[in-house]
Amino acid sequence: MKSCLVVDDSRVIRMVARKILEELNFEVIEAEDGKVALDACNKSLPDAVLLDWNMPVMDGLEFLVALRQMPGNENVQVIFCTTENDLEHIQKAIAAGANEYIMKPFDSEIIQSKFTQVGLL
């Protein structure tokens, strides 16, 4: 079973993402900020990360930069999932190593489509 780390400071978003991902047969790990997510990755790298941008402690971009410096990170598919939808944010995310970008709000169809595009489904 593939694993997905859902990183978002909103408990509701994490809950919705968990429901969708579990229906797609993913094991789901949750983190409320980038620091907690990085700690989880140090224990075991997930197959995928669904990543919010704006979070306390460590934001999504800081987390992504740190993740991409870890050994074995090249197999982790990172999908930003955020309200930051301007071209500048998207370019920064891709340049930092994001594989895809989803705008909030999202639904099961959008998640399934993006996860298929990056080869997770």
Side-chain angles (χ1 to χ4, degrees):
M1 180 179 278
K2 289 187 177 172
S3 61
C4 183
L5 175 60
V6 177
V7 189
D8 200 300
D9 56 329
S10 165
R11 191 176 57 79
V12 172
I13 296 289
R14 291 194 313 268
M15 190 174 68
V16 170
R18 171 182 286 278
K19 183 180 182 308
I20 291 169
L21 290 163
E22 285 178 345
E23 286 173 2
L24 296 172
N25 293 316
F26 278 85
E27 176 190 348
V28 178
I29 306 109
E30 294 183 27
E32 62 272 11
D33 63 54
K35 174 76 174 85
V36 173
L38 206 52
D39 292 345
C41 288
N42 279 319
K43 290 182 185 131
S44 175
L45 284 174
D47 296 295
V49 177
L50 192 61
L51 181 63
D52 186 25
W53 192 295
N54 298 307
M55 296 177 290
V57 185
M58 177 186 277
D59 71 25
L61 194 62
E62 291 169 321
F63 164 79
L64 180 57
V65 168
L67 171 70
R68 289 304 186 210
Q69 293 171 354
M70 295 174 77
N73 82 79
E74 52 281 338
N75 297 323
V76 180
Q77 299 297 310
V78 177
I79 294 122
F80 253 106
C81 181
T82 181
T83 56
E84 300 295 348
N85 61 4
D86 59 276
L87 190 57
E88 185 182 334
H89 277 90
I90 295 169
Q91 288 172 332
K92 270 188 193 174
I94 300 299
N99 300 92
E100 264 301 338
Y101 207 93
I102 296 173
M103 308 303 171
K104 287 180 183 173
F106 59 87
D107 61 19
S108 181
E109 197 175 295
I110 292 168
I111 297 268
Q112 198 165 348
S113 167
K114 292 295 182 178
F115 274 54
T116 300
Q117 281 179 18
V118 298
L120 289 163
L121 292 173

